[in-house]
Each structure stands twice: as structure tokens, then as C-alpha cells.
Amino acid sequence: MAVFDDGTHFRANSDHTHPNTPGFVVFTFSVTHTPMDPATPRITELEIANAISAIAQAKGYTKPVFSGPQATAQLNP
């Protein structure tokens, strides 16, 4: 899996799969960590991508696969 810098912007498209209601949605997000305490648990980019994917799929969209600025570096294939 690729390593991404803090603040990397991720993007994914997802199509709606129902034939009577075609459409799509575009997702974008970035994460920058500034913990006050080093023991603060980190929320990872993969956790966010998987949560967005689960919501999209539950609503009838295809799984969005996020990628960073590197075209071949997928976050959640």
C-alpha cells in the first residue's frame, strides 16, 4: 500500500447501480493530524475511505476506490 503525506487529497467516483435512477457521486477528502497529545489515536485515511465506501454501497452505489495524486496509488482497492 502506498504511503501518503498528511494533507493528501483523495478522490473517488461512484455510480448508482439502479437502472431507473442512474447517477453518480464524487467524493473528496483529506486528513491533517495535529494531535496535542502523542497518545491521541490517529484516524487513518483508509478508515475514512472504508467508511465512505460502506455508506455509498449501502445506498446502492458502486464501491468508490480512492486514489491520491499518484494515479496508480489506490487507497482502498
Side-chain angles (χ1 to χ4, degrees):
M1 186 167 103
V3 175
F4 298 95
D5 294 331
D6 240 12
T8 296
H9 284 64
F10 297 95
R11 184 177 196 279
N13 297 331
S14 182
D15 295 317
H16 196 263
T17 57
H18 192 280
N20 294 331
T21 56
F24 68 95
V25 64
V26 177
F27 301 100
T28 59
F29 75 90
S30 67
V31 180
T32 301
H33 294 91
T34 55
M36 300 305 267
D37 178 353
T40 302
R42 181 179 174 96
I43 298 172
T44 70
E45 292 83 352
L46 183 56
E47 290 171 322
I48 294 168
N50 287 339
I52 293 170
S53 291
I55 293 167
Q57 289 177 299
K59 294 187 178 276
Y61 288 84
T62 58
K63 177 184 177 184
V65 176
F66 290 88
S67 58
Q70 305 88 343
T72 60
Q74 294 180 333
L75 179 61
N76 65 324

